[in-house]
Amino acid sequence: MDNRQCDGSETVMSYPIPKLEDRIRVHRNIYALRSKMNWSIRFLARKLHIQVVTVESHECGDTYPKLVQLIQYADLFNVTLDELVFGEFD
């Protein structure tokens, strides 16, 4: 693959940075799906083997879940990763 820019300069291969809107959807979706299942934050944290404060942080958008955690969330909520990240469950 040619990494040359239109001006002739070269760049290293780069990957798109997730948009802020996508991040916001993830935290909204975790909250919405947990609420839909009538699960408490404590119950979800136990299912994921993580601390309650971690789930709270994900739902508030203070931190972004790691890939492994996203997969676990999607599995528990019976949705795909795409649905979890890009879907709208509000």
mmCIF file with all atom_site columns, all heavy atoms in Angstrom, residues 41-56 58 65 69 72-73:
data_model
loop_
_atom_site.group_PDB
_atom_site.id
_atom_site.type_symbol
_atom_site.label_atom_id
_atom_site.label_alt_id
_atom_site.label_comp_id
_atom_site.label_asym_id
_atom_site.label_entity_id
_atom_site.label_seq_id
_atom_site.pdbx_PDB_ins_code
_atom_site.Cartn_x
_atom_site.Cartn_y
_atom_site.Cartn_z
_atom_site.occupancy
_atom_site.B_iso_or_equiv
_atom_site.pdbx_formal_charge
_atom_site.auth_seq_id
_atom_site.auth_comp_id
_atom_site.auth_asym_id
_atom_site.auth_atom_id
_atom_site.pdbx_PDB_model_num
ATOM 1   N N   . ILE A 1 41 ? -25.965 -2.311  39.261 1.00 0.00 ? 41 ILE A N   1
ATOM 2   C CA  . ILE A 1 41 ? -24.549 -2.169  38.906 1.00 0.00 ? 41 ILE A CA  1
ATOM 3   C C   . ILE A 1 41 ? -23.735 -3.250  39.608 1.00 0.00 ? 41 ILE A C   1
ATOM 4   O O   . ILE A 1 41 ? -22.842 -3.848  39.019 1.00 0.00 ? 41 ILE A O   1
ATOM 5   C CB  . ILE A 1 41 ? -24.031 -0.758  39.258 1.00 0.00 ? 41 ILE A CB  1
ATOM 6   C CG1 . ILE A 1 41 ? -24.649 0.269   38.323 1.00 0.00 ? 41 ILE A CG1 1
ATOM 7   C CG2 . ILE A 1 41 ? -22.514 -0.696  39.176 1.00 0.00 ? 41 ILE A CG2 1
ATOM 8   C CD1 . ILE A 1 41 ? -24.286 1.704   38.646 1.00 0.00 ? 41 ILE A CD1 1
ATOM 9   N N   . ARG A 1 42 ? -24.069 -3.507  40.863 1.00 0.00 ? 42 ARG A N   1
ATOM 10  C CA  . ARG A 1 42 ? -23.359 -4.532  41.642 1.00 0.00 ? 42 ARG A CA  1
ATOM 11  C C   . ARG A 1 42 ? -23.483 -5.908  40.989 1.00 0.00 ? 42 ARG A C   1
ATOM 12  O O   . ARG A 1 42 ? -22.505 -6.649  40.874 1.00 0.00 ? 42 ARG A O   1
ATOM 13  C CB  . ARG A 1 42 ? -23.875 -4.572  43.077 1.00 0.00 ? 42 ARG A CB  1
ATOM 14  C CG  . ARG A 1 42 ? -23.155 -5.553  43.974 1.00 0.00 ? 42 ARG A CG  1
ATOM 15  C CD  . ARG A 1 42 ? -23.665 -5.509  45.396 1.00 0.00 ? 42 ARG A CD  1
ATOM 16  N NE  . ARG A 1 42 ? -23.498 -4.211  46.009 1.00 0.00 ? 42 ARG A NE  1
ATOM 17  C CZ  . ARG A 1 42 ? -22.364 -3.767  46.565 1.00 0.00 ? 42 ARG A CZ  1
ATOM 18  N NH1 . ARG A 1 42 ? -21.312 -4.546  46.578 1.00 0.00 ? 42 ARG A NH1 1
ATOM 19  N NH2 . ARG A 1 42 ? -22.302 -2.583  47.098 1.00 0.00 ? 42 ARG A NH2 1
ATOM 20  N N   . PHE A 1 43 ? -24.695 -6.251  40.534 1.00 0.00 ? 43 PHE A N   1
ATOM 21  C CA  . PHE A 1 43 ? -24.915 -7.550  39.892 1.00 0.00 ? 43 PHE A CA  1
ATOM 22  C C   . PHE A 1 43 ? -24.083 -7.664  38.615 1.00 0.00 ? 43 PHE A C   1
ATOM 23  O O   . PHE A 1 43 ? -23.429 -8.682  38.378 1.00 0.00 ? 43 PHE A O   1
ATOM 24  C CB  . PHE A 1 43 ? -26.409 -7.733  39.583 1.00 0.00 ? 43 PHE A CB  1
ATOM 25  C CG  . PHE A 1 43 ? -26.737 -9.045  38.919 1.00 0.00 ? 43 PHE A CG  1
ATOM 26  C CD1 . PHE A 1 43 ? -26.838 -10.210 39.657 1.00 0.00 ? 43 PHE A CD1 1
ATOM 27  C CD2 . PHE A 1 43 ? -26.930 -9.111  37.546 1.00 0.00 ? 43 PHE A CD2 1
ATOM 28  C CE1 . PHE A 1 43 ? -27.136 -11.428 39.052 1.00 0.00 ? 43 PHE A CE1 1
ATOM 29  C CE2 . PHE A 1 43 ? -27.226 -10.311 36.924 1.00 0.00 ? 43 PHE A CE2 1
ATOM 30  C CZ  . PHE A 1 43 ? -27.324 -11.468 37.688 1.00 0.00 ? 43 PHE A CZ  1
ATOM 31  N N   . LEU A 1 44 ? -24.103 -6.613  37.788 1.00 0.00 ? 44 LEU A N   1
ATOM 32  C CA  . LEU A 1 44 ? -23.328 -6.628  36.542 1.00 0.00 ? 44 LEU A CA  1
ATOM 33  C C   . LEU A 1 44 ? -21.835 -6.734  36.829 1.00 0.00 ? 44 LEU A C   1
ATOM 34  O O   . LEU A 1 44 ? -21.122 -7.503  36.173 1.00 0.00 ? 44 LEU A O   1
ATOM 35  C CB  . LEU A 1 44 ? -23.626 -5.379  35.713 1.00 0.00 ? 44 LEU A CB  1
ATOM 36  C CG  . LEU A 1 44 ? -22.887 -5.261  34.381 1.00 0.00 ? 44 LEU A CG  1
ATOM 37  C CD1 . LEU A 1 44 ? -23.126 -6.472  33.485 1.00 0.00 ? 44 LEU A CD1 1
ATOM 38  C CD2 . LEU A 1 44 ? -23.285 -3.974  33.674 1.00 0.00 ? 44 LEU A CD2 1
ATOM 39  N N   . ALA A 1 45 ? -21.362 -6.008  37.818 1.00 0.00 ? 45 ALA A N   1
ATOM 40  C CA  . ALA A 1 45 ? -19.940 -6.063  38.180 1.00 0.00 ? 45 ALA A CA  1
ATOM 41  C C   . ALA A 1 45 ? -19.542 -7.477  38.592 1.00 0.00 ? 45 ALA A C   1
ATOM 42  O O   . ALA A 1 45 ? -18.471 -7.965  38.209 1.00 0.00 ? 45 ALA A O   1
ATOM 43  C CB  . ALA A 1 45 ? -19.649 -5.071  39.302 1.00 0.00 ? 45 ALA A CB  1
ATOM 44  N N   . ARG A 1 46 ? -20.394 -8.129  39.358 1.00 0.00 ? 46 ARG A N   1
ATOM 45  C CA  . ARG A 1 46 ? -20.091 -9.519  39.758 1.00 0.00 ? 46 ARG A CA  1
ATOM 46  C C   . ARG A 1 46 ? -20.037 -10.443 38.552 1.00 0.00 ? 46 ARG A C   1
ATOM 47  O O   . ARG A 1 46 ? -19.174 -11.308 38.464 1.00 0.00 ? 46 ARG A O   1
ATOM 48  C CB  . ARG A 1 46 ? -21.147 -10.024 40.742 1.00 0.00 ? 46 ARG A CB  1
ATOM 49  C CG  . ARG A 1 46 ? -20.993 -9.482  42.124 1.00 0.00 ? 46 ARG A CG  1
ATOM 50  C CD  . ARG A 1 46 ? -21.960 -10.132 43.071 1.00 0.00 ? 46 ARG A CD  1
ATOM 51  N NE  . ARG A 1 46 ? -21.993 -9.413  44.337 1.00 0.00 ? 46 ARG A NE  1
ATOM 52  C CZ  . ARG A 1 46 ? -23.044 -9.347  45.126 1.00 0.00 ? 46 ARG A CZ  1
ATOM 53  N NH1 . ARG A 1 46 ? -24.166 -9.956  44.783 1.00 0.00 ? 46 ARG A NH1 1
ATOM 54  N NH2 . ARG A 1 46 ? -22.984 -8.676  46.252 1.00 0.00 ? 46 ARG A NH2 1
ATOM 55  N N   . LYS A 1 47 ? -20.980 -10.279 37.615 1.00 0.00 ? 47 LYS A N   1
ATOM 56  C CA  . LYS A 1 47 ? -20.996 -11.120 36.410 1.00 0.00 ? 47 LYS A CA  1
ATOM 57  C C   . LYS A 1 47 ? -19.720 -10.930 35.585 1.00 0.00 ? 47 LYS A C   1
ATOM 58  O O   . LYS A 1 47 ? -19.240 -11.867 34.963 1.00 0.00 ? 47 LYS A O   1
ATOM 59  C CB  . LYS A 1 47 ? -22.212 -10.777 35.531 1.00 0.00 ? 47 LYS A CB  1
ATOM 60  C CG  . LYS A 1 47 ? -23.544 -11.079 36.152 1.00 0.00 ? 47 LYS A CG  1
ATOM 61  C CD  . LYS A 1 47 ? -23.933 -12.487 35.988 1.00 0.00 ? 47 LYS A CD  1
ATOM 62  C CE  . LYS A 1 47 ? -24.972 -12.705 34.961 1.00 0.00 ? 47 LYS A CE  1
ATOM 63  N NZ  . LYS A 1 47 ? -25.272 -14.146 34.836 1.00 0.00 ? 47 LYS A NZ  1
ATOM 64  N N   . LEU A 1 48 ? -19.189 -9.693  35.573 1.00 0.00 ? 48 LEU A N   1
ATOM 65  C CA  . LEU A 1 48 ? -17.998 -9.385  34.786 1.00 0.00 ? 48 LEU A CA  1
ATOM 66  C C   . LEU A 1 48 ? -16.698 -9.581  35.570 1.00 0.00 ? 48 LEU A C   1
ATOM 67  O O   . LEU A 1 48 ? -15.612 -9.439  35.012 1.00 0.00 ? 48 LEU A O   1
ATOM 68  C CB  . LEU A 1 48 ? -18.059 -7.928  34.294 1.00 0.00 ? 48 LEU A CB  1
ATOM 69  C CG  . LEU A 1 48 ? -19.173 -7.609  33.306 1.00 0.00 ? 48 LEU A CG  1
ATOM 70  C CD1 . LEU A 1 48 ? -19.259 -6.107  33.090 1.00 0.00 ? 48 LEU A CD1 1
ATOM 71  C CD2 . LEU A 1 48 ? -18.935 -8.319  31.991 1.00 0.00 ? 48 LEU A CD2 1
ATOM 72  N N   . HIS A 1 49 ? -16.822 -9.854  36.864 1.00 0.00 ? 49 HIS A N   1
ATOM 73  C CA  . HIS A 1 49 ? -15.660 -10.011 37.745 1.00 0.00 ? 49 HIS A CA  1
ATOM 74  C C   . HIS A 1 49 ? -14.805 -8.738  37.774 1.00 0.00 ? 49 HIS A C   1
ATOM 75  O O   . HIS A 1 49 ? -13.581 -8.796  37.690 1.00 0.00 ? 49 HIS A O   1
ATOM 76  C CB  . HIS A 1 49 ? -14.803 -11.222 37.346 1.00 0.00 ? 49 HIS A CB  1
ATOM 77  C CG  . HIS A 1 49 ? -15.580 -12.498 37.286 1.00 0.00 ? 49 HIS A CG  1
ATOM 78  N ND1 . HIS A 1 49 ? -16.009 -13.162 38.406 1.00 0.00 ? 49 HIS A ND1 1
ATOM 79  C CD2 . HIS A 1 49 ? -16.042 -13.214 36.222 1.00 0.00 ? 49 HIS A CD2 1
ATOM 80  C CE1 . HIS A 1 49 ? -16.688 -14.249 38.058 1.00 0.00 ? 49 HIS A CE1 1
ATOM 81  N NE2 . HIS A 1 49 ? -16.723 -14.295 36.732 1.00 0.00 ? 49 HIS A NE2 1
ATOM 82  N N   . ILE A 1 50 ? -15.510 -7.601  37.848 1.00 0.00 ? 50 ILE A N   1
ATOM 83  C CA  . ILE A 1 50 ? -14.832 -6.315  37.968 1.00 0.00 ? 50 ILE A CA  1
ATOM 84  C C   . ILE A 1 50 ? -15.463 -5.539  39.123 1.00 0.00 ? 50 ILE A C   1
ATOM 85  O O   . ILE A 1 50 ? -16.511 -5.933  39.654 1.00 0.00 ? 50 ILE A O   1
ATOM 86  C CB  . ILE A 1 50 ? -14.903 -5.486  36.657 1.00 0.00 ? 50 ILE A CB  1
ATOM 87  C CG1 . ILE A 1 50 ? -16.342 -5.219  36.231 1.00 0.00 ? 50 ILE A CG1 1
ATOM 88  C CG2 . ILE A 1 50 ? -14.136 -6.180  35.544 1.00 0.00 ? 50 ILE A CG2 1
ATOM 89  C CD1 . ILE A 1 50 ? -16.480 -4.351  34.982 1.00 0.00 ? 50 ILE A CD1 1
ATOM 90  N N   . GLN A 1 51 ? -14.839 -4.450  39.500 1.00 0.00 ? 51 GLN A N   1
ATOM 91  C CA  . GLN A 1 51 ? -15.332 -3.654  40.612 1.00 0.00 ? 51 GLN A CA  1
ATOM 92  C C   . GLN A 1 51 ? -16.534 -2.813  40.189 1.00 0.00 ? 51 GLN A C   1
ATOM 93  O O   . GLN A 1 51 ? -16.655 -2.410  39.031 1.00 0.00 ? 51 GLN A O   1
ATOM 94  C CB  . GLN A 1 51 ? -14.233 -2.743  41.133 1.00 0.00 ? 51 GLN A CB  1
ATOM 95  C CG  . GLN A 1 51 ? -13.061 -3.501  41.722 1.00 0.00 ? 51 GLN A CG  1
ATOM 96  C CD  . GLN A 1 51 ? -11.995 -2.560  42.256 1.00 0.00 ? 51 GLN A CD  1
ATOM 97  O OE1 . GLN A 1 51 ? -12.128 -1.348  42.209 1.00 0.00 ? 51 GLN A OE1 1
ATOM 98  N NE2 . GLN A 1 51 ? -10.925 -3.139  42.776 1.00 0.00 ? 51 GLN A NE2 1
ATOM 99  N N   . VAL A 1 52 ? -17.398 -2.546  41.158 1.00 0.00 ? 52 VAL A N   1
ATOM 100 C CA  . VAL A 1 52 ? -18.578 -1.717  40.922 1.00 0.00 ? 52 VAL A CA  1
ATOM 101 C C   . VAL A 1 52 ? -18.169 -0.355  40.357 1.00 0.00 ? 52 VAL A C   1
ATOM 102 O O   . VAL A 1 52 ? -18.785 0.163   39.424 1.00 0.00 ? 52 VAL A O   1
ATOM 103 C CB  . VAL A 1 52 ? -19.394 -1.543  42.231 1.00 0.00 ? 52 VAL A CB  1
ATOM 104 C CG1 . VAL A 1 52 ? -20.480 -0.494  42.066 1.00 0.00 ? 52 VAL A CG1 1
ATOM 105 C CG2 . VAL A 1 52 ? -19.987 -2.878  42.659 1.00 0.00 ? 52 VAL A CG2 1
ATOM 106 N N   . VAL A 1 53 ? -17.112 0.218   40.902 1.00 0.00 ? 53 VAL A N   1
ATOM 107 C CA  . VAL A 1 53 ? -16.659 1.534   40.459 1.00 0.00 ? 53 VAL A CA  1
ATOM 108 C C   . VAL A 1 53 ? -16.241 1.506   38.988 1.00 0.00 ? 53 VAL A C   1
ATOM 109 O O   . VAL A 1 53 ? -16.390 2.513   38.282 1.00 0.00 ? 53 VAL A O   1
ATOM 110 C CB  . VAL A 1 53 ? -15.530 2.064   41.370 1.00 0.00 ? 53 VAL A CB  1
ATOM 111 C CG1 . VAL A 1 53 ? -14.255 1.271   41.191 1.00 0.00 ? 53 VAL A CG1 1
ATOM 112 C CG2 . VAL A 1 53 ? -15.282 3.538   41.134 1.00 0.00 ? 53 VAL A CG2 1
ATOM 113 N N   . THR A 1 54 ? -15.788 0.370   38.494 1.00 0.00 ? 54 THR A N   1
ATOM 114 C CA  . THR A 1 54 ? -15.406 0.241   37.086 1.00 0.00 ? 54 THR A CA  1
ATOM 115 C C   . THR A 1 54 ? -16.640 0.309   36.191 1.00 0.00 ? 54 THR A C   1
ATOM 116 O O   . THR A 1 54 ? -16.648 1.020   35.184 1.00 0.00 ? 54 THR A O   1
ATOM 117 C CB  . THR A 1 54 ? -14.627 -1.071  36.842 1.00 0.00 ? 54 THR A CB  1
ATOM 118 O OG1 . THR A 1 54 ? -13.498 -1.100  37.708 1.00 0.00 ? 54 THR A OG1 1
ATOM 119 C CG2 . THR A 1 54 ? -14.185 -1.199  35.405 1.00 0.00 ? 54 THR A CG2 1
ATOM 120 N N   . VAL A 1 55 ? -17.693 -0.404  36.575 1.00 0.00 ? 55 VAL A N   1
ATOM 121 C CA  . VAL A 1 55 ? -18.944 -0.352  35.803 1.00 0.00 ? 55 VAL A CA  1
ATOM 122 C C   . VAL A 1 55 ? -19.502 1.070   35.840 1.00 0.00 ? 55 VAL A C   1
ATOM 123 O O   . VAL A 1 55 ? -19.925 1.602   34.808 1.00 0.00 ? 55 VAL A O   1
ATOM 124 C CB  . VAL A 1 55 ? -19.988 -1.359  36.335 1.00 0.00 ? 55 VAL A CB  1
ATOM 125 C CG1 . VAL A 1 55 ? -21.318 -1.198  35.601 1.00 0.00 ? 55 VAL A CG1 1
ATOM 126 C CG2 . VAL A 1 55 ? -19.484 -2.785  36.203 1.00 0.00 ? 55 VAL A CG2 1
ATOM 127 N N   . GLU A 1 56 ? -19.484 1.683   37.006 1.00 0.00 ? 56 GLU A N   1
ATOM 128 C CA  . GLU A 1 56 ? -19.962 3.066   37.127 1.00 0.00 ? 56 GLU A CA  1
ATOM 129 C C   . GLU A 1 56 ? -19.176 3.989   36.202 1.00 0.00 ? 56 GLU A C   1
ATOM 130 O O   . GLU A 1 56 ? -19.745 4.853   35.532 1.00 0.00 ? 56 GLU A O   1
ATOM 131 C CB  . GLU A 1 56 ? -19.841 3.557   38.564 1.00 0.00 ? 56 GLU A CB  1
ATOM 132 C CG  . GLU A 1 56 ? -20.822 2.905   39.512 1.00 0.00 ? 56 GLU A CG  1
ATOM 133 C CD  . GLU A 1 56 ? -20.555 3.259   40.973 1.00 0.00 ? 56 GLU A CD  1
ATOM 134 O OE1 . GLU A 1 56 ? -19.443 3.734   41.291 1.00 0.00 ? 56 GLU A OE1 1
ATOM 135 O OE2 . GLU A 1 56 ? -21.465 3.061   41.783 1.00 0.00 ? 56 GLU A OE2 1
ATOM 136 N N   . HIS A 1 58 ? -17.593 3.194   33.451 1.00 0.00 ? 58 HIS A N   1
ATOM 137 C CA  . HIS A 1 58 ? -17.944 2.902   32.057 1.00 0.00 ? 58 HIS A CA  1
ATOM 138 C C   . HIS A 1 58 ? -19.285 3.551   31.708 1.00 0.00 ? 58 HIS A C   1
ATOM 139 O O   . HIS A 1 58 ? -19.441 4.122   30.631 1.00 0.00 ? 58 HIS A O   1
ATOM 140 C CB  . HIS A 1 58 ? -18.029 1.406   31.808 1.00 0.00 ? 58 HIS A CB  1
ATOM 141 C CG  . HIS A 1 58 ? -16.716 0.705   31.918 1.00 0.00 ? 58 HIS A CG  1
ATOM 142 N ND1 . HIS A 1 58 ? -16.642 -0.663  32.074 1.00 0.00 ? 58 HIS A ND1 1
ATOM 143 C CD2 . HIS A 1 58 ? -15.433 1.151   31.903 1.00 0.00 ? 58 HIS A CD2 1
ATOM 144 C CE1 . HIS A 1 58 ? -15.369 -1.024  32.147 1.00 0.00 ? 58 HIS A CE1 1
ATOM 145 N NE2 . HIS A 1 58 ? -14.622 0.067   32.042 1.00 0.00 ? 58 HIS A NE2 1
ATOM 146 N N   . PRO A 1 65 ? -14.214 1.024   28.320 1.00 0.00 ? 65 PRO A N   1
ATOM 147 C CA  . PRO A 1 65 ? -13.932 -0.386  28.597 1.00 0.00 ? 65 PRO A CA  1
ATOM 148 C C   . PRO A 1 65 ? -12.835 -0.935  27.684 1.00 0.00 ? 65 PRO A C   1
ATOM 149 O O   . PRO A 1 65 ? -12.740 -0.562  26.514 1.00 0.00 ? 65 PRO A O   1
ATOM 150 C CB  . PRO A 1 65 ? -15.252 -1.097  28.307 1.00 0.00 ? 65 PRO A CB  1
ATOM 151 C CG  . PRO A 1 65 ? -16.287 -0.038  28.294 1.00 0.00 ? 65 PRO A CG  1
ATOM 152 C CD  . PRO A 1 65 ? -15.603 1.227   27.900 1.00 0.00 ? 65 PRO A CD  1
ATOM 153 N N   . GLN A 1 69 ? -13.398 -6.394  27.992 1.00 0.00 ? 69 GLN A N   1
ATOM 154 C CA  . GLN A 1 69 ? -14.608 -6.027  28.725 1.00 0.00 ? 69 GLN A CA  1
ATOM 155 C C   . GLN A 1 69 ? -15.770 -5.741  27.770 1.00 0.00 ? 69 GLN A C   1
ATOM 156 O O   . GLN A 1 69 ? -16.908 -6.106  28.065 1.00 0.00 ? 69 GLN A O   1
ATOM 157 C CB  . GLN A 1 69 ? -14.347 -4.813  29.611 1.00 0.00 ? 69 GLN A CB  1
ATOM 158 C CG  . GLN A 1 69 ? -13.403 -5.135  30.754 1.00 0.00 ? 69 GLN A CG  1
ATOM 159 C CD  . GLN A 1 69 ? -12.903 -3.897  31.477 1.00 0.00 ? 69 GLN A CD  1
ATOM 160 O OE1 . GLN A 1 69 ? -12.794 -2.828  30.885 1.00 0.00 ? 69 GLN A OE1 1
ATOM 161 N NE2 . GLN A 1 69 ? -12.581 -4.048  32.746 1.00 0.00 ? 69 GLN A NE2 1
ATOM 162 N N   . GLN A 1 72 ? -17.164 -8.996  26.843 1.00 0.00 ? 72 GLN A N   1
ATOM 163 C CA  . GLN A 1 72 ? -17.948 -9.547  27.960 1.00 0.00 ? 72 GLN A CA  1
ATOM 164 C C   . GLN A 1 72 ? -19.302 -8.860  28.090 1.00 0.00 ? 72 GLN A C   1
ATOM 165 O O   . GLN A 1 72 ? -20.320 -9.526  28.289 1.00 0.00 ? 72 GLN A O   1
ATOM 166 C CB  . GLN A 1 72 ? -17.163 -9.418  29.269 1.00 0.00 ? 72 GLN A CB  1
ATOM 167 C CG  . GLN A 1 72 ? -15.959 -10.317 29.344 1.00 0.00 ? 72 GLN A CG  1
ATOM 168 C CD  . GLN A 1 72 ? -15.098 -10.043 30.566 1.00 0.00 ? 72 GLN A CD  1
ATOM 169 O OE1 . GLN A 1 72 ? -14.998 -8.920  31.044 1.00 0.00 ? 72 GLN A OE1 1
ATOM 170 N NE2 . GLN A 1 72 ? -14.472 -11.093 31.074 1.00 0.00 ? 72 GLN A NE2 1
ATOM 171 N N   . TYR A 1 73 ? -19.309 -7.530  27.982 1.00 0.00 ? 73 TYR A N   1
ATOM 172 C CA  . TYR A 1 73 ? -20.579 -6.804  28.024 1.00 0.00 ? 73 TYR A CA  1
ATOM 173 C C   . TYR A 1 73 ? -21.505 -7.292  26.915 1.00 0.00 ? 73 TYR A C   1
ATOM 174 O O   . TYR A 1 73 ? -22.680 -7.597  27.152 1.00 0.00 ? 73 TYR A O   1
ATOM 175 C CB  . TYR A 1 73 ? -20.361 -5.297  27.840 1.00 0.00 ? 73 TYR A CB  1
ATOM 176 C CG  . TYR A 1 73 ? -19.966 -4.521  29.075 1.00 0.00 ? 73 TYR A CG  1
ATOM 177 C CD1 . TYR A 1 73 ? -18.756 -3.836  29.118 1.00 0.00 ? 73 TYR A CD1 1
ATOM 178 C CD2 . TYR A 1 73 ? -20.815 -4.415  30.169 1.00 0.00 ? 73 TYR A CD2 1
ATOM 179 C CE1 . TYR A 1 73 ? -18.392 -3.085  30.229 1.00 0.00 ? 73 TYR A CE1 1
ATOM 180 C CE2 . TYR A 1 73 ? -20.463 -3.662  31.277 1.00 0.00 ? 73 TYR A CE2 1
ATOM 181 C CZ  . TYR A 1 73 ? -19.252 -3.001  31.306 1.00 0.00 ? 73 TYR A CZ  1
ATOM 182 O OH  . TYR A 1 73 ? -18.903 -2.250  32.409 1.00 0.00 ? 73 TYR A OH  1
#
